[in-house]
Amino acid sequence: PISLVISCVESWPLRDMYPCPLTSRWSSLAAFIPMRMNLFTRRMQKHDFGRMKSCGFGSRVQVVPQPSLVMQQKRLASELDAAPPVQQSLRVGLVGLGAIGSTVADALGDDTKLPHASLAAVLVQSSREVRPKEVPQEVLLTTDVDAFLAADWSVCVEAAGQPWIKQYGERVLTAGRSLLVTSVGAFTDDALYQALISAATRSGGRLLIAAGAMPAMDWMSSAALDQVDEVVVEQRKRPEGWKGTPAEAVTDLEKLTEPFVVFEGVARDAAAKFPKNANIAASLALATVGLDRLAVRLVADPTVSGPTNSITFKGGCGEIAIQVKGKPMSQRTSRVVPFSVVKALKNLSSPVVVGA
């Protein structure tokens, strides 16, 4: 190193009697070294080792050319690009193992439906003597909320009802995880909705709202970015599908022989009064005109074979009128609801998303 050369020259014991072996004139060398060091430093900074053929002390030095740092970085990057990409599996935590949860758990074990997602943990309300067939042995099955929240998963699927969201939804989002909600009626509570949004914003988590049984959500949510004149949704179910709801206070459900309107108003009131029957209205409202503008009509109809949803949307992008005659999974749940969750998980985990 040049610093060592300078040190040797300065400490040469007989420099007044004998010339320094590196040069015969100490004064010339003392003036010469700083100049050559500056050149050396500039070339070092440029990593131009190939041009440094001499260090400037009268003797030639052979320096082996080396690739520049930039070239090494480019080569490393090309090697990384050439390596096959690794698709990470989306790990899912599932809350609830009823009609919706069981179907979602079954799909997570099917590589043809969700090849890039896997079930990591399941939270149930009460312990079971026999382990459900859709929950593999390696998957955590627990009634302990803390154990569930401590498990290794990144997306929580809620299929347990509004109370669970109100009690634990913020904990999920505060941890930076995503929460996929099926009980959308919980968001008629503005304070809860804003608290979850704030938690997701602070932590980087995401609050995901399932489309459920609501058709054409993609078209209407896009059209809602333009002028919207009217959005109306009518939901018809057989009378037994309204049992245990405020509908029992306005009519005798068992004696109905023709359609009867059990509720007519805005989505906020519909979802609050009929939480297990009007989630689709709440999800459409949040995606379009809001809970206080979406018009909702709920009908007990003994003439239908299953849940029937009719939607009318009018606005600047045009008009759409849809009627869907769904197949029931239970008296209060359309068969398509768990598959809307599966579709959402597919979009979250797949390298390709259609209809984004």
Side-chain angles (χ1 to χ4, degrees), residues 27-40:
S27 57
S28 298
L29 180 61
F32 186 67
I33 286 177
M35 179 182 67
R36 301 305 292 175
M37 282 187 66
N38 290 335
L39 177 61
F40 183 85

Side-chain angles (χ1 to χ4, degrees), residues 36-332:
R36 301 305 292 175
M37 282 187 66
N38 290 335
L39 177 61
F40 183 85
T41 302
R42 289 198 301 271
R43 289 181 175 175
M44 282 287 290
Q45 291 173 343
K46 294 181 179 180
H47 302 285
D48 192 5
F49 299 102
R51 293 177 59 192
M52 295 170 54
K53 297 179 180 179
S54 173
C55 62
F57 296 116
S59 60
R60 309 291 284 184
V61 177
Q62 182 65 36
V63 178
V64 179
Q66 300 180 20
S68 69
L69 180 61
V70 174
M71 292 177 62
Q72 295 181 45
Q73 291 174 339
K74 288 182 177 180
R75 183 172 66 248
L76 179 59
S78 64
E79 291 174 355
L80 292 175
D81 291 338
V86 178
Q87 178 68 44
Q88 298 293 328
S89 176
L90 178 71
R91 294 180 62 81
V92 178
L94 177 62
V95 181
L97 208 58
I100 297 175
S102 297
T103 303
V104 173
D106 187 65
L108 284 165
D110 187 345
D111 287 342
T112 62
K113 292 179 180 177
L114 291 172
H116 305 300
S118 60
L119 185 61
V122 179
L123 178 65
V124 293
Q125 189 172 10
S126 56
S127 57
R128 305 187 181 194
E129 295 182 1
V130 180
R131 190 179 186 89
K133 60 180 178 59
E134 59 268 21
V135 182
Q137 288 294 331
E138 64 272 15
V139 173
L140 174 67
L141 178 63
T142 182
T143 59
D144 186 343
V145 175
D146 291 331
F148 172 78
L149 294 175
D152 181 19
W153 48 262
S154 57
V155 177
C156 176
V157 173
E158 172 277 315
Q162 296 185 21
W164 197 90
I165 300 173
K166 294 177 180 179
Q167 191 168 359
Y168 300 109
E170 193 168 351
R171 284 183 63 181
V172 172
L173 293 169
T174 299
R177 293 163 157 177
S178 296
L179 175 62
L180 176 56
V181 175
T182 64
S183 303
V184 188
F187 299 142
T188 57
D189 182 343
D190 288 334
L192 173 65
Y193 189 45
Q194 291 303 321
L196 296 187
I197 292 175
S198 297
T201 302
R202 291 192 305 268
S203 68
R206 297 180 68 194
L207 178 60
L208 309 170
I209 298 175
M214 176 56 63
M217 183 78 85
D218 53 350
W219 190 93
M220 288 185 285
S221 60
S222 299
L225 298 175
D226 195 3
Q227 173 189 341
V228 179
D229 300 323
E230 181 186 44
V231 186
V232 180
V233 57
E234 180 184 271
Q235 186 176 4
R236 292 175 179 260
K237 290 185 179 182
R238 293 189 57 80
E240 53 267 30
W242 300 103
K243 288 184 177 181
T245 72
E248 293 181 318
V250 295
T251 187
D252 188 343
L253 295 171
E254 294 183 354
K255 295 182 179 180
L256 281 181
T257 58
E258 59 184 19
F260 184 88
V261 178
V262 298
F263 174 86
E264 192 164 13
V266 295
R268 183 184 300 279
D269 295 336
K273 294 179 180 180
F274 299 85
K276 295 184 178 180
N277 291 276
N279 284 325
I280 61 170
S283 61
L284 178 61
L286 293 175
T288 55
V289 294
L291 292 165
D292 297 313
R293 277 193 63 192
L294 177 67
V296 178
R297 187 182 301 113
L298 305 179
V299 183
D301 189 349
T303 67
V304 297
S305 59
T308 302
N309 300 314
S310 301
I311 302 98
T312 302
F313 181 106
K314 297 179 181 179
C317 287
E319 300 182 10
I320 186 172
I322 305 170
Q323 185 181 74
V324 177
K325 296 181 178 181
K327 296 287 183 70
M329 174 166 282
S330 66
Q331 293 296 338
R332 292 173 179 160

